[in-house]
């Protein structure tokens, strides 16, 4: 069983930055895919970023077109923590951000869909004002 706990959300003005953290209780497999998803009010949940972790080492990353060049997903393997650094935030980035894990990772490379992830955190709210 993998437990995920997000933190780091908050309110920020447009152009600002936030760093979200996802604490992972433990990895039970060597190959995992970690993802960040977001859901704005009245909208469907969408994938934002994904990171493949192979044997504890970061491998490939994937991003939604809407966040490329602004968001960065990374991990600290010693802390079992995955981060989402968000820069140049826009009001349209306002959403509940959730961390997800596909463990073990068995799907083709990419952001993946909601159904491909088998563990989810509770989410952390990000609000960007104009």
């Amino acid at each position: 069983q993998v437990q995920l706990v997000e933190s780091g959300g908050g309110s920020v003005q447009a152009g600002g930055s936030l760093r979200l953290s996802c604490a992972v209780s433990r990895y039970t497999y060597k190959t995992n895919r970690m993802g960040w998803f977001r859901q704005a009010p009245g909208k469907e949940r969408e994938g934002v970023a994904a990171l493949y972790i192979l044997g504890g080492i970061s491998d490939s990353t994937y991003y939604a077109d809407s966040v490329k060049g602004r968001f960065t997903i990374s991990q600290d393997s010693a802390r079992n923590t995955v981060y989402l650094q968000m820069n140049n935030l826009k009001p349209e980035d306002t959403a509940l951000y959730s961390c997800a894990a596909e463990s073990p990772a068995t799907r083709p490379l990419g952001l993946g869909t909601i159904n491909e992830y088998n563990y989810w955190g509770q989410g952390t709210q990000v609000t960007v004002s104009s």
Side-chain angles (χ1 to χ4, degrees), residues 19-21 36 72-74 76 79 81-85:
R19 188 178 77 161
L20 305 183
S21 299
W36 284 98
T72 302
I73 187 171
S74 63
D76 183 334
R79 290 183 167 82
T81 300
V82 177
Y83 302 101
L84 184 68
Q85 177 67 44

Side-chain angles (χ1 to χ4, degrees), residues 9 24 29 35 41-42 46 50 67 76 93-94 99 111 116-117 127-128 130:
V24 183
Y29 295 94
E46 61 174 354
V67 306
D76 183 334
D93 294 319
T94 295
C99 177
L111 273 177
E116 294 175 4
Y117 290 82
T127 302
V128 184
S130 56

Side-chain angles (χ1 to χ4, degrees), residues 1-118:
Q1 191 77 0
V2 177
Q3 294 181 327
L4 308 175
V5 179
E6 304 96 332
S7 61
S11 297
V12 65
Q13 289 191 328
S17 298
L18 284 173
R19 188 178 77 161
L20 305 183
S21 299
C22 174
V24 183
S25 59
R26 67 189 182 108
Y27 291 111
T28 55
Y29 295 94
K30 290 187 176 181
T31 303
N32 303 277
R33 174 169 57 170
M34 300 300 298
W36 284 98
F37 287 75
R38 67 185 181 186
Q39 187 168 21
K43 294 187 176 181
E44 294 188 352
R45 187 178 292 185
E46 61 174 354
V48 174
L51 168 68
Y52 278 79
I53 301 174
L54 308 179
I57 299 174
S58 299
D59 191 78
S60 49
T61 58
Y62 299 87
Y63 298 93
D65 288 342
S66 59
V67 306
K68 279 181 182 177
R70 300 189 298 122
F71 290 12
T72 302
I73 187 171
S74 63
Q75 68 140 357
D76 183 334
S77 58
R79 290 183 167 82
N80 267 11
T81 300
V82 177
Y83 302 101
L84 184 68
Q85 177 67 44
M86 306 185 295
N87 298 329
N88 190 22
L89 282 160
K90 304 175 181 181
E92 51 264 42
D93 294 319
T94 295
L96 180 70
Y97 284 72
S98 299
C99 177
E102 183 199 5
S103 182
T106 61
R107 307 288 183 167
L109 302 181
L111 273 177
T113 63
I114 295 171
N115 293 334
E116 294 175 4
Y117 290 82
N118 46 351

